[in-house]
Short mmCIF file of all heavy atoms in Angstrom, two decimals:
data_model
loop_
_atom_site.label_atom_id
_atom_site.label_comp_id
_atom_site.label_asym_id
_atom_site.label_seq_id
_atom_site.Cartn_x
_atom_site.Cartn_y
_atom_site.Cartn_z
N LYS B 53 -47.65 98.70 -31.43
CA LYS B 53 -48.63 99.53 -30.70
C LYS B 53 -49.06 98.77 -29.46
O LYS B 53 -49.38 97.59 -29.53
CB LYS B 53 -49.85 99.79 -31.60
CG LYS B 53 -50.35 101.25 -31.52
CD LYS B 53 -51.56 101.47 -32.39
CE LYS B 53 -52.85 101.39 -31.57
NZ LYS B 53 -54.06 101.45 -32.40
N GLN B 54 -49.08 99.46 -28.31
CA GLN B 54 -49.35 98.75 -27.06
C GLN B 54 -50.71 98.04 -27.09
O GLN B 54 -51.71 98.60 -27.53
CB GLN B 54 -49.30 99.69 -25.87
CG GLN B 54 -48.94 98.87 -24.60
CD GLN B 54 -49.22 99.59 -23.32
OE1 GLN B 54 -49.19 100.81 -23.27
NE2 GLN B 54 -49.49 98.82 -22.27
N ARG B 55 -50.71 96.79 -26.65
CA ARG B 55 -51.93 95.98 -26.77
C ARG B 55 -51.85 94.86 -25.74
O ARG B 55 -51.11 93.89 -25.92
CB ARG B 55 -51.97 95.40 -28.18
CG ARG B 55 -53.21 94.62 -28.49
CD ARG B 55 -53.26 94.36 -29.97
NE ARG B 55 -54.15 93.25 -30.28
CZ ARG B 55 -54.10 92.53 -31.38
NH1 ARG B 55 -53.19 92.77 -32.30
NH2 ARG B 55 -54.95 91.54 -31.59
N THR B 56 -52.57 95.03 -24.64
CA THR B 56 -52.61 93.98 -23.62
C THR B 56 -54.06 93.62 -23.31
O THR B 56 -54.96 94.45 -23.45
CB THR B 56 -51.91 94.41 -22.30
OG1 THR B 56 -52.55 95.60 -21.83
CG2 THR B 56 -50.43 94.67 -22.51
N ILE B 57 -54.22 92.38 -22.91
CA ILE B 57 -55.55 91.85 -22.58
C ILE B 57 -55.45 91.14 -21.23
O ILE B 57 -54.41 90.55 -20.93
CB ILE B 57 -56.01 90.85 -23.67
CG1 ILE B 57 -56.44 91.61 -24.92
CG2 ILE B 57 -57.15 89.95 -23.20
CD1 ILE B 57 -55.57 91.35 -26.09
N SER B 58 -56.49 91.22 -20.42
CA SER B 58 -56.49 90.53 -19.13
C SER B 58 -57.59 89.49 -19.08
O SER B 58 -58.70 89.73 -19.56
CB SER B 58 -56.70 91.52 -17.99
OG SER B 58 -55.58 92.36 -17.90
N LEU B 59 -57.27 88.34 -18.50
CA LEU B 59 -58.26 87.26 -18.37
C LEU B 59 -58.31 86.82 -16.91
O LEU B 59 -57.28 86.57 -16.30
CB LEU B 59 -57.86 86.07 -19.23
CG LEU B 59 -57.84 86.27 -20.75
CD1 LEU B 59 -57.22 85.04 -21.43
CD2 LEU B 59 -59.24 86.49 -21.28
N SER B 60 -59.52 86.73 -16.36
CA SER B 60 -59.69 86.23 -15.00
C SER B 60 -59.75 84.69 -15.03
O SER B 60 -59.88 84.09 -16.10
CB SER B 60 -60.98 86.78 -14.39
OG SER B 60 -62.09 86.20 -15.08
N ILE B 61 -59.64 84.09 -13.86
CA ILE B 61 -59.79 82.64 -13.79
C ILE B 61 -61.16 82.22 -14.33
O ILE B 61 -61.28 81.20 -15.02
CB ILE B 61 -59.62 82.15 -12.32
CG1 ILE B 61 -58.22 82.48 -11.79
CG2 ILE B 61 -59.91 80.65 -12.20
CD1 ILE B 61 -57.13 81.50 -12.13
N ASP B 62 -62.18 83.04 -14.07
CA ASP B 62 -63.51 82.74 -14.60
C ASP B 62 -63.52 82.76 -16.13
O ASP B 62 -64.15 81.91 -16.77
CB ASP B 62 -64.55 83.74 -14.06
CG ASP B 62 -64.93 83.42 -12.62
OD1 ASP B 62 -64.55 82.32 -12.13
OD2 ASP B 62 -65.57 84.27 -11.98
N ASP B 63 -62.82 83.75 -16.70
CA ASP B 63 -62.71 83.80 -18.18
C ASP B 63 -62.10 82.50 -18.70
O ASP B 63 -62.56 81.94 -19.69
CB ASP B 63 -61.83 84.98 -18.63
CG ASP B 63 -62.47 86.34 -18.34
OD1 ASP B 63 -63.72 86.40 -18.24
OD2 ASP B 63 -61.71 87.32 -18.21
N LEU B 64 -61.03 82.08 -18.04
CA LEU B 64 -60.34 80.86 -18.47
C LEU B 64 -61.26 79.65 -18.31
O LEU B 64 -61.35 78.79 -19.19
CB LEU B 64 -59.05 80.65 -17.68
CG LEU B 64 -57.95 81.70 -17.91
CD1 LEU B 64 -56.82 81.52 -16.91
CD2 LEU B 64 -57.40 81.64 -19.33
N ASN B 65 -61.96 79.62 -17.20
CA ASN B 65 -62.89 78.52 -16.91
C ASN B 65 -64.00 78.40 -17.94
O ASN B 65 -64.54 77.31 -18.13
CB ASN B 65 -63.51 78.73 -15.52
CG ASN B 65 -62.98 77.70 -14.54
OD1 ASN B 65 -63.06 76.51 -14.79
ND2 ASN B 65 -62.42 78.18 -13.44
N ALA B 66 -64.31 79.49 -18.61
CA ALA B 66 -65.38 79.47 -19.61
C ALA B 66 -64.91 78.86 -20.93
O ALA B 66 -65.72 78.57 -21.81
CB ALA B 66 -65.90 80.89 -19.83
N MET B 67 -63.60 78.67 -21.08
CA MET B 67 -63.06 78.09 -22.31
C MET B 67 -63.04 76.56 -22.22
O MET B 67 -63.14 76.01 -21.12
CB MET B 67 -61.63 78.63 -22.54
CG MET B 67 -61.59 80.13 -22.83
SD MET B 67 -59.91 80.83 -22.72
CE MET B 67 -59.09 79.86 -23.99
N PRO B 68 -62.93 75.86 -23.37
CA PRO B 68 -62.93 74.38 -23.31
C PRO B 68 -61.76 73.88 -22.46
O PRO B 68 -60.63 74.33 -22.64
CB PRO B 68 -62.75 73.97 -24.77
CG PRO B 68 -63.09 75.16 -25.59
CD PRO B 68 -62.81 76.36 -24.75
N LYS B 69 -62.07 72.94 -21.57
CA LYS B 69 -61.06 72.41 -20.63
C LYS B 69 -60.27 71.26 -21.27
O LYS B 69 -60.80 70.51 -22.07
CB LYS B 69 -61.77 71.85 -19.39
CG LYS B 69 -61.95 72.83 -18.26
CD LYS B 69 -62.36 72.07 -17.00
CE LYS B 69 -63.32 72.84 -16.13
NZ LYS B 69 -64.23 73.81 -16.72
N GLU B 70 -59.03 71.15 -20.86
CA GLU B 70 -58.18 70.04 -21.32
C GLU B 70 -57.49 69.39 -20.13
O GLU B 70 -57.04 70.09 -19.22
CB GLU B 70 -57.07 70.56 -22.25
CG GLU B 70 -57.53 71.21 -23.53
CD GLU B 70 -57.96 70.20 -24.58
OE1 GLU B 70 -57.52 69.04 -24.51
OE2 GLU B 70 -58.72 70.61 -25.48
N ASP B 71 -57.39 68.07 -20.15
CA ASP B 71 -56.56 67.34 -19.19
C ASP B 71 -55.28 66.89 -19.90
O ASP B 71 -55.36 66.37 -21.02
CB ASP B 71 -57.27 66.06 -18.71
CG ASP B 71 -58.48 66.37 -17.84
OD1 ASP B 71 -58.49 67.43 -17.18
OD2 ASP B 71 -59.41 65.53 -17.83
N VAL B 72 -54.16 67.05 -19.25
CA VAL B 72 -52.90 66.52 -19.79
C VAL B 72 -52.18 65.76 -18.68
O VAL B 72 -51.95 66.32 -17.61
CB VAL B 72 -51.99 67.65 -20.32
CG1 VAL B 72 -50.64 67.09 -20.77
CG2 VAL B 72 -52.64 68.38 -21.49
N ILE B 73 -51.88 64.49 -18.93
CA ILE B 73 -51.05 63.75 -17.98
C ILE B 73 -49.61 63.90 -18.44
O ILE B 73 -49.26 63.54 -19.56
CB ILE B 73 -51.49 62.27 -17.91
CG1 ILE B 73 -52.90 62.20 -17.28
CG2 ILE B 73 -50.50 61.45 -17.08
CD1 ILE B 73 -53.51 60.83 -17.25
N MET B 74 -48.81 64.50 -17.59
CA MET B 74 -47.45 64.88 -17.98
C MET B 74 -46.44 64.57 -16.89
O MET B 74 -46.70 64.82 -15.72
CB MET B 74 -47.42 66.38 -18.27
CG MET B 74 -46.01 66.87 -18.61
SD MET B 74 -45.79 68.64 -18.29
CE MET B 74 -44.02 68.81 -18.54
N THR B 75 -45.32 64.05 -17.31
CA THR B 75 -44.19 63.86 -16.41
C THR B 75 -43.31 65.10 -16.46
O THR B 75 -42.93 65.54 -17.54
CB THR B 75 -43.37 62.63 -16.83
OG1 THR B 75 -44.17 61.47 -16.62
CG2 THR B 75 -42.10 62.51 -16.01
N MET B 76 -43.04 65.66 -15.29
CA MET B 76 -42.08 66.75 -15.21
C MET B 76 -40.79 66.19 -14.67
O MET B 76 -40.79 65.38 -13.74
CB MET B 76 -42.57 67.84 -14.29
CG MET B 76 -43.72 68.59 -14.90
SD MET B 76 -43.98 70.16 -14.11
CE MET B 76 -45.64 70.48 -14.76
N GLN B 77 -39.70 66.63 -15.28
CA GLN B 77 -38.40 66.20 -14.81
C GLN B 77 -37.49 67.42 -14.75
O GLN B 77 -37.40 68.17 -15.73
CB GLN B 77 -37.79 65.14 -15.74
CG GLN B 77 -36.46 64.61 -15.21
CD GLN B 77 -35.83 63.50 -16.07
OE1 GLN B 77 -35.21 62.60 -15.57
NE2 GLN B 77 -35.99 63.60 -17.37
N CYS B 78 -36.84 67.59 -13.62
CA CYS B 78 -35.85 68.64 -13.48
C CYS B 78 -34.68 68.30 -14.40
O CYS B 78 -34.26 67.14 -14.48
CB CYS B 78 -35.39 68.71 -12.03
SG CYS B 78 -34.11 69.94 -11.77
N SER B 79 -34.13 69.30 -15.09
CA SER B 79 -33.00 69.07 -15.99
C SER B 79 -31.79 68.54 -15.24
O SER B 79 -30.87 67.99 -15.83
CB SER B 79 -32.59 70.36 -16.70
OG SER B 79 -33.72 71.04 -17.15
N GLY B 80 -31.80 68.73 -13.91
CA GLY B 80 -30.67 68.26 -13.11
C GLY B 80 -30.90 66.89 -12.49
O GLY B 80 -30.07 66.41 -11.71
N ASN B 81 -32.02 66.24 -12.86
CA ASN B 81 -32.28 64.91 -12.30
C ASN B 81 -31.10 63.98 -12.59
O ASN B 81 -30.54 64.01 -13.67
CB ASN B 81 -33.57 64.32 -12.91
CG ASN B 81 -34.14 63.19 -12.06
OD1 ASN B 81 -33.92 63.13 -10.84
ND2 ASN B 81 -34.87 62.27 -12.69
N ARG B 82 -30.73 63.18 -11.60
CA ARG B 82 -29.61 62.24 -11.69
C ARG B 82 -28.25 62.95 -11.75
O ARG B 82 -27.26 62.34 -12.15
CB ARG B 82 -29.79 61.28 -12.89
CG ARG B 82 -31.08 60.48 -12.87
CD ARG B 82 -31.17 59.51 -14.04
NE ARG B 82 -30.00 58.68 -14.11
CZ ARG B 82 -29.59 58.01 -15.19
NH1 ARG B 82 -30.30 58.06 -16.28
NH2 ARG B 82 -28.49 57.30 -15.18
N ARG B 83 -28.22 64.23 -11.34
CA ARG B 83 -26.95 64.98 -11.37
C ARG B 83 -25.86 64.29 -10.57
O ARG B 83 -24.69 64.30 -10.95
CB ARG B 83 -27.17 66.40 -10.85
CG ARG B 83 -25.88 67.21 -10.79
CD ARG B 83 -26.11 68.63 -10.29
NE ARG B 83 -26.72 69.47 -11.30
CZ ARG B 83 -27.81 70.21 -11.12
NH1 ARG B 83 -28.43 70.19 -9.95
NH2 ARG B 83 -28.28 70.96 -12.09
N SER B 84 -26.24 63.71 -9.42
CA SER B 84 -25.21 63.12 -8.53
C SER B 84 -24.39 62.06 -9.25
O SER B 84 -23.23 61.85 -8.91
CB SER B 84 -25.85 62.57 -7.27
OG SER B 84 -26.86 61.65 -7.61
#
Side-chain angles (χ1 to χ4, degrees):
Chain B
K53 222 181 98 186
Q54 206 196 332
R55 184 168 160 202
T56 58
I57 284 115
S58 293
L59 295 171
S60 68
I61 298 276
D62 283 349
D63 292 336
L64 294 171
N65 250 306
M67 293 167 60
K69 269 193 215 29
E70 298 282 338
D71 291 332
V72 175
I73 293 175
M74 176 204 172
T75 293
M76 289 198 196
Q77 183 178 215
C78 178
S79 316
N81 198 27
R82 303 182 53 200
R83 177 179 284 129
S84 55

